[in-house]
Amino acid sequence: MIANIGLASCGIAAGAEDIQKALHKKGIKTKTVGCIGACHLEPIIEFKKEDYETIIFCSVKTKDLSEILKALKSGKLHRKILAKRKDGKEWYPKVKYIEDICFYKKQQKILSHRCGIIDPADVDEYVKSGGYDGLQNAIKMKKEEVIAEVEKSGLRGRGGAGFSTGKKWSFVKNAKERPFMVCNADEGDPGAFMNRILLESDPLSVIEGLTIAGYAINARQGIIYIRSEYPLAVERLKHAIKNATKKGFLGNNILNSGFSFDIEIKLGAGAFVCGEETALIASLEGKTGRPHPRPPYPTDKGLLGKPTVINNVETLACVSLIMAKGSGYFRKFGTETSPGTKIFSLSGALKKTGYIEVPFGIKLREVLEIADVKEDEFKVMHLGGPAGSCLPKELLDLNLDYDSLKSVNATLGSGSMILLNHDQDMVEFAKNMMAFNVSESCGKCVPCREGTKRMLELIEKILRNDGKPEDLVTLEHIASTVKDTSLCGLGQSASNPLISILKYFKGEYIDKLQGAISIANDLAMYRIIEVKCTGCDKCSEVCPMKAIRGKKFEVHQIDEARCIKCGRCSKICPVKAVDLVKMERAI
Ligand SMILES: Cc1cc2nc3c(=O)[nH]c(=O)nc-3n(C[C@H](O)[C@H](O)[C@H](O)COP(=O)(O)O)c2cc1C
Ligand code: SF4
Ligand code: SF4
């Protein structure tokens, strides 16, 4: 019997190393594997006996081991059995297969299928499970054919912007100088850990993708830029690179193809802005990690002035899959304009934290089902970290893909999903996101350096109940100025959480303005939009000033002279007919 121990960071944090030692003492052979996604159930141990189905145990403690081994010997059920795998003769007939349990039912694990199954640094196991098929196919093709195949797959970069990977590669097709190929593993946004899990659990899929990209763009040198806060991922990458080189998948004359490619690991010091591609290049060159204006784009003038292609970790894992199984296979998943799957990291106010891999186009409502979050407990999903946006309950039927998100002014970001419940104060949440941007702004340009600070001050003022209505107007003005005039993506998107919270949860800001409101009567006012008003009378029932007139089922009106702008009518109106008219419109 052999026990696969989940030893990604989540498993280690939950005590899996002690379990491994205890199993060794009991004479059980173990194998180190990565994470299967259900981080909340770590330590996860999978037992495989001869050619029988693998039995998966979860939340295992060292003290459970004797009982578990006894149960396995006698074939009896045990309370810590989670599921089993379809990989052998039937063993525990009453236990469900892993793909039938709620957390996995809607997932499609085409990228993360090896995570938690193979030893992350074992090239032979990787090859046995279809690994390096992509590279073997690629080196038999012409470089431009590889680029065309990736373009045909519709793959869009998973680092945030969603730019076509094939198109980006084609920009260096006719480069006069040899390009560099860089993998961006900086992953610094709060709530994001998809890239880390992939690197800890299946680093060879990223190394293979980087090698294929290197071949396609005629690079000789690949670089993985990774934050030093990811020591386990770095260690696994180092082992995997060493083993792949030994087996002829890296280095000189790869698989006798005449193509040579090496990969070097470069550590970042953890600044979020160094994930931005021009700052990343500055950091690689040993300079302070600060962005510079584009153009020139890195594909024209990048590392050491040479053309440079930068792709995200998950993008490169997709490349391995596309070249192994073809662009047609990849397009079977997801939507026409967002093909494939996406790995999301789940965190926040929920019990089932971890990562999930789902096809693009899945509905927000379905993600709640996977995460086992009840609709009435759900308040909002924050997608995409400090550059991202909030998706409230009204958007439960929204499809999660690039275009559907764009239609509601939201972005996917790189894949962090923070789920929040009704205990979460959204103004407090906006403050946390803004505080992150303030501390991570590199300070090079004024709008971002000063604007993020001023916005944070205003949010803090509102949280202290010192805010005035005109502060909301000022916040919106600063937010749009910082968005329009900042130099890089950090500043350009720093206002996104604030703006989306203002859009969907304005009432929470307004609630905190009570007391300070009457001072600024002329700066903003509430109006009832006639075409929307159904005359339900709910607003006049809650108005403390009796400022709302109108017969039941007829359009209502607000008496500006009486209104103290408490916002209660706006909050209660079921058809969102009460609008806050801001200064510029009011004048
Ligand atoms: C502030 C900031 C941080 C970023 N951090 C990352 C990151 O950690 N990883 C990443 O792949 N892209 C990050 N990006 C996006 C990169 O600049 C770049 O677009 C991406 O690496 C390109 O890869 P892709 O085409 O495969 O998505 C960041 C952008 C900004 C503005
Ligand atoms: S937008 Fe912010 S992070 Fe980007 S260059 Fe300007 S100050 Fe630096
Ligand atoms: S904002 Fe307050 S005072 Fe004004 S109409 Fe609405 S409930 Fe009445």
Side-chain angles (χ1 to χ4, degrees), residues 380-441:
V380 68
M381 175 194 279
H382 185 78
L383 194 58
S389 342
C390 284
L391 305 178
K393 226 177 187 155
E394 296 94 293
L395 298 178
L396 275 176
D397 285 314
L398 183 77
N399 298 102
L400 300 181
D401 59 69
Y402 290 106
D403 301 305
S404 306
L405 285 161
K406 201 171 164 199
S407 72
V408 293
N409 285 327
T411 54
L412 188 78
S414 61
S416 80
M417 278 182 169
I418 305 177
L419 289 156
L420 303 171
N421 64 18
H422 297 287
D423 293 339
Q424 180 64 52
D425 179 327
M426 294 312 294
V427 185
E428 188 71 39
F429 189 77
K431 184 197 88 175
N432 291 341
M433 286 291 158
M434 194 57 76
F436 179 84
N437 284 319
V438 169
S439 68
E440 296 296 330
S441 166

Side-chain angles (χ1 to χ4, degrees), residues 526 539 542-545 547-548 558 563-569:
Y526 280 90
C539 55
V542 295
C543 178
M545 301 304 292
I548 301 181
I558 295 174
C563 178
I564 57 158
K565 301 185 180 77
C566 66
R568 285 180 193 154
C569 48

